[in-house]
Amino acid sequence: MATTPIGFSLVVLRNVPLFSGLDDPELEKLSRVSGRKRVERGAFVVRSGESTDSLYVLLAGRAKVTNTDEDGREIILAWLGPGEFFGEMGLIDGSPRSANVVAAEACELLFLSKESFQRCLQDNFQVAQKLMRILVRRLREADRNIESLALLDVYGRVARLLLDMSENDSGKRVV
């Protein structure tokens, strides 16, 4: 794990939606206590069941959030790209990691320790408020996925997935 130049971290943190409301002195405080880590494709960033010690921000690359069943089958819970973060849940409630995060390609990560993240939340209401909004959005997405699994047949689930993945391009939905 490498230490991170303050200027680099400052620019990165400024572009992370969770921290975008912070002013430069607050971002500078966070950047001083952040670190940087590189993970090769296929490597675990975190494992389910481990103690939660850091929040991670994906700077470059893609990662997948997964869990496995008793038979070893993998389910992908989410895909993460640059600017997205993970590891906040255990920092909030003190629980172990609830899922694996695996680098789908080589990844560059910024990390904040539990203490630094909690201090940031205590000192900056706007960060706590943004975090709550993001967690609520994730909960709504999880509720929608549960609803799809319970109420839609396979064709309906595929149709919903395609709609969710589509983008509006001049009034037309394009996947």
Side-chain angles (χ1 to χ4, degrees):
M1 290 185 225
T3 58
T4 305
I6 290 174
F8 175 79
S9 296
L10 191 63
V11 170
V12 168
L13 289 172
R14 188 178 293 128
N15 291 310
V16 172
L18 180 62
F19 301 122
S20 63
L22 298 179
D23 59 25
D24 281 350
E26 292 166 325
L27 287 170
E28 205 169 296
K29 272 194 262 181
L30 273 181
S31 63
R32 274 194 221 104
V33 295
S34 66
R36 212 164 68 189
K37 179 178 180 178
R38 182 162 175 73
V39 179
E40 295 305 317
R41 181 176 187 249
F44 282 82
V45 180
V46 299
R47 292 181 188 267
S48 180
E50 290 179 338
S51 64
T52 305
D53 58 353
S54 300
L55 166 86
Y56 290 91
V57 179
L58 194 57
L59 303 177
R62 287 178 31 104
K64 60 183 178 176
V65 182
T66 69
N67 262 329
T68 54
D69 67 9
E70 312 82 47
D71 298 326
R73 291 180 299 207
E74 178 182 83
I75 180 169
I76 298 173
L77 303 173
W79 286 95
L80 303 171
E84 294 185 279
F85 63 92
F86 58 93
E88 76 288 344
M89 289 181 359
L91 296 182
I92 293 169
D93 71 1
S95 296
R97 303 272 186 205
S98 61
N100 301 309
V101 177
V102 180
E105 53 192 59
C107 293
E108 188 80 25
L109 300 151
L110 187 77
F111 62 92
L112 288 169
S113 72
K114 182 177 187 172
E115 297 77 25
S116 299
F117 180 67
Q118 288 176 339
R119 198 171 323 110
C120 176
L121 289 180
Q122 289 172 351
D123 295 345
N124 303 285
F125 177 72
Q126 67 271 27
V127 173
Q129 196 170 32
K130 281 184 184 180
L131 178 63
M132 286 187 284
R133 283 190 195 117
I134 291 167
L135 292 176
V136 166
R137 187 190 77 229
R138 289 181 184 176
L139 181 58
R140 288 184 194 277
E141 288 172 7
D143 286 348
R144 190 166 180 219
N145 289 338
I146 291 167
E147 178 185 300
S148 288
L149 288 171
L151 302 175
L152 296 176
D153 63 9
V154 72
Y155 298 108
R157 290 194 303 267
V158 170
R160 179 174 274 175
L161 179 63
L162 289 172
L163 280 172
D164 289 345
M165 293 173 62
S166 69
E167 296 176 4
N168 190 352
D169 183 21
S170 303
K172 294 181 181 178
R173 301 302 299 177
V174 178
V175 177

